[in-house]
Amino acid sequence: MLIDITSKSIDITPTMREKIEARMAKLEKTQVPLIKPQVIITKEKLLFKVEAKIGIPSGQLFASDENNDLYVALNNLGQKLERQLRRYHNKPIAGRVDKSLDIQQTPPPVA
């Protein structure tokens, strides 16, 4: 997968690139196709700010995180994206479960 990684104020090292690619590979395990993932890294004073935008078939995921440590910010960003992707992936299943529970809980007609 081709990941667009940009930085406004720091150089992107191979270690940073590997960390981002590993996190995106972990996201691909949900079997939802990721379309054009973009990651933007900026440094503002002492904070690193990481933003990610990923297209999915029916919309887009966006997450951002700030931290003093770049790798902690990348990890937190990955966790936020995982939660969003898991919610997207499980949404149709959750709707079916609710409907089936409603049918089971209705009392039988009184004759």
Side-chain angles (χ1 to χ4, degrees), residues 2-24:
L2 183 62
I3 304 169
D4 182 24
I5 303 172
T6 58
S7 174
K8 295 183 180 178
S9 56
I10 58 174
D11 293 330
I12 298 170
T13 63
T15 308
M16 293 161 74
R17 183 171 296 280
E18 288 174 12
K19 179 79 170 170
I20 293 169
E21 288 174 353
R23 183 50 90 167
M24 293 297 166

Side-chain angles (χ1 to χ4, degrees), residues 73-92:
L74 286 172
N75 192 31
N76 292 341
L77 177 83
Q79 290 175 353
K80 289 179 182 181
L81 288 170
E82 280 181 35
R83 281 193 298 269
Q84 289 180 25
L85 202 54
R86 195 174 317 120
R87 190 177 320 130
Y88 167 79
H89 185 61
N90 293 334
K91 194 170 186 176

Side-chain angles (χ1 to χ4, degrees), residues 88-101:
Y88 167 79
H89 185 61
N90 293 334
K91 194 170 186 176
I93 297 169
R96 280 186 250 144
V97 170
D98 291 340
K99 291 176 185 174
S100 66
L101 287 177

